[in-house]
Amino acid sequence: MSSIQILLFVFGLLMFKYKKSRMHRFVFLSAMAEGPHVAIPLRLSIATAWPLKPKLHRVYLLIQEDRPQNLDDPVCDSIPVIDLAKPTAVHSHIQPVEAILKASKEFGFFQVINHGVPEKITTDAMNVLKEFFNLPSKEAIEYVPHTKGWIHTSSDYTKVGAHLWRENLKHLCYPLEECVQLWPNKPARYQEVIAAYILEIQKLSSRILEMICEGLGLEPGYFKDTSEVQLLSSNFYPPCPDPSLTLGILAHQDPSLITLVYQGNSPGLQALKDGHWINVGAVPNAFVVNIGNQLEIISNGKFRSMDHRVVTSPHETRISIATLVNPPLDCIVEPAKVLVNESEPSRYQARQYKEYVHHNKAFGDHTVTIQNAMISES
Ligand SMILES: O=C(O)CCC(=O)C(=O)O
Ligand SMILES: [Fe+2]
């Protein structure tokens, strides 16, 4: 124990003795209120000095049915990891297109490796986001209207008002040249680094969508119109005092066509399969691909958009970069004609993406803001 730690420890004990002092209440409440918005140095000094383990503040307590139950379950090894550089999928002898098709039907999830996105691009993006989320001035800009081109929040709420354990940064990425100047300019490299990342995501998502076209028997380029708009949603989940009582993100499905998630080496994503939450592993340098609601519709239900959520870690900070690949707002989304026939009638009504977004509050509390931004950008 260093002398500073000993001092802080004694200080904690004294405050515990004189419970009624205002200082004690301040430090005690700060320890209790440990959350993504509380400064990390304060958290660390309290965690090392305070004799009691900091508790999760009640604002983060989820109702019983929303809490994660299976934190110690192993990673599910049947969600396919597909090697895009090889003709066959990892751990199997089937072709990547076939593997993508199978995974999209069974899990609504798969991971890709050897995807061609240079490691420097993903590492730079993770680093610049880490800098963004650690900016000391960030709390003052908790919510920024879309006229500035981005939304940062650490206050997502559940339906019954519990606070989720994450900070989130969202912005549009299409048309890229117009959007990029509206993104955060602190850290100074943010715009350049994230624009380079998005260019790679555009290439990779088009490539995966072409493979899906092939697998579903759709003509090449079928998803060109429905995959035009990228929306970046970056998440920051600091270490949490009690992961069994809260979540980073509640169970949800993505309103996108597909979503590509980069999660570095930090697990936390879980998918619901046959009524059980399964852990999606963190595979080094992989992208998680998640089938969104629009692809479920276009595939006429052949593919499933699955519930997923994020559990927190008691030890490490997790950053994830989700890029939602979406149709433009005025695009009509409907089952592909070639997938509809007498034996498989259409299971979904055609409707404008705008209507879908609005009806499902697709982007959470900020749906209207993002919808407005999409209109003024396009
Ligand atoms: O953090 C993650 O791994 C997933 C995030 C997610 O599901 C989302 O942003 O929609
Ligand atoms: Fe999601």
Side-chain angles (χ1 to χ4, degrees), residues 153-196:
T153 175
S154 63
S155 52
D156 300 307
Y157 293 98
T158 67
K159 283 200 188 83
V160 290
H163 200 137
L164 293 171
W165 195 266
R166 76 154 178 175
E167 288 184 33
N168 177 255
L169 169 67
K170 274 196 183 66
H171 57 65
L172 280 177
C173 309
Y174 180 86
L176 189 56
E177 313 76 59
E178 288 170 36
C179 289
V180 74
Q181 298 130 26
L182 303 171
W183 297 348
N185 54 11
K186 284 188 200 127
R189 288 183 330 127
Y190 184 92
Q191 298 178 350
E192 181 196 331
V193 165
I194 298 298

Side-chain angles (χ1 to χ4, degrees), residues 249 252-254 259 290 308:
I249 309 187
H252 69 282
Q253 295 175 5
D254 285 5
T259 303
N290 171 6
H308 54 285

Side-chain angles (χ1 to χ4, degrees), residues 166 233 235 237 249 252 254 261 263 269 308 310 318 320 322:
R166 76 154 178 175
S233 178
N235 304 298
Y237 313 95
I249 309 187
H252 69 282
D254 285 5
V261 180
Q263 56 176 345
L269 180 61
H308 54 285
V310 175
R318 176 171 187 267
S320 69

